[in-house]
Amino acid sequence: KTHLEYPILLGRWLFKANQNFKYSAETEFDEWTDLYFDRKLSDKELIRILFQRSTNNRIKGMDYLSQVSYMNMLNNGVGYSYYIAANGRTKDLSDTIYENGLHPQEGVYNYSLGAVWRQQLVKEYLFYQIEPILSYHEQYDYRPNYLLRCTIDLYFGYKQ
């Protein structure tokens, strides 16, 4: 697994390009590129525009994501964000069938709105995150779907 990052300051925007590769000995690979455009509104507020593209050996074509986020750090270890996103793909997945009989098509397949609450639990290495999401996915004929994602992050090693 490899991660490369290249930050550039463009006026009041910080541009970061990330390239990630993940290969295994069993001929599987994933690779993705993230392009971040960050603009600080204050010491605790940030607007982020994200463009992502990815490929892997399991799916034909390329997946992509565009997302705009507002992030706010309330205090050390507590913060929230709001985002709007669109996911897409460059190839039909004709060998895949959703439960409702539809085949995944090329183009945008998901629109989503979300909010994230992130809080430190223990010291600087254990965090929890709660993320309600409103999703309009191709799989469900773009009807609204309500999701709740809960995660726990445990950090090891060096932290900047």
Side-chain angles (χ1 to χ4, degrees):
K1 185 174 178 179
T2 303
H3 171 84
L4 305 168
E5 182 173 287
Y6 190 74
I8 301 170
L9 194 56
L10 301 170
R12 299 177 74 188
W13 290 86
L14 175 61
F15 168 72
K16 289 189 294 186
N18 294 330
Q19 181 65 50
N20 299 277
F21 303 96
K22 188 165 56 170
Y23 293 93
S24 75
E26 300 164 358
T27 67
E28 291 197 18
F29 77 92
D30 289 296
E31 64 84 21
W32 61 99
T33 304
D34 298 321
L35 301 176
Y36 295 99
F37 294 88
D38 292 347
R39 182 164 182 181
K40 286 180 85 171
L41 302 176
S42 71
D43 287 343
K44 297 186 177 214
E45 294 176 293
L46 177 80
I47 295 289
R48 171 170 284 168
I49 301 170
L50 166 64
F51 300 105
Q52 182 184 78
R53 51 144 314 278
S54 63
T55 58
N56 64 58
N57 68 321
R58 295 172 300 283
I59 297 175
K60 293 183 246 174
M62 177 181 75
D63 282 346
Y64 53 88
L65 163 75
S66 297
Q67 180 174 308
V68 177
S69 304
Y70 166 79
M71 302 173 188
N72 192 323
M73 179 70 89
L74 297 175
N75 59 43
N76 195 19
V78 179
Y80 66 89
S81 65
Y82 303 108
Y83 66 87
I84 184 168
N87 301 76
R89 66 176 72 86
T90 60
K91 296 279 186 193
D92 291 349
L93 302 179
S94 55
D95 52 347
T96 304
I97 299 175
Y98 292 135
E99 290 177 13
N100 60 4
L102 293 175
H103 288 277
Q105 301 296 308
E106 72 178 66
V108 176
Y109 64 85
N110 188 45
Y111 300 95
S112 57
L113 300 166
V116 178
W117 178 265
R118 182 175 176 81
Q119 188 166 348
Q120 183 176 326
L121 282 173
V122 179
K123 305 234 180 209
E124 293 184 0
Y125 58 85
L126 185 62
F127 291 81
Y128 76 90
Q129 187 168 295
I130 298 172
E131 182 178 1
I133 304 166
L134 176 59
S135 173
Y136 298 87
H137 199 286
E138 168 190 63
Q139 179 177 0
Y140 305 109
D141 208 19
Y142 298 103
R143 289 188 308 267
N145 288 283
Y146 305 95
L147 309 162
L148 181 63
R149 182 179 297 150
C150 301
T151 58
I152 293 181
D153 293 333
L154 183 60
Y155 291 96
F156 296 99
Y158 179 72
K159 185 176 176 192
Q160 292 180 341

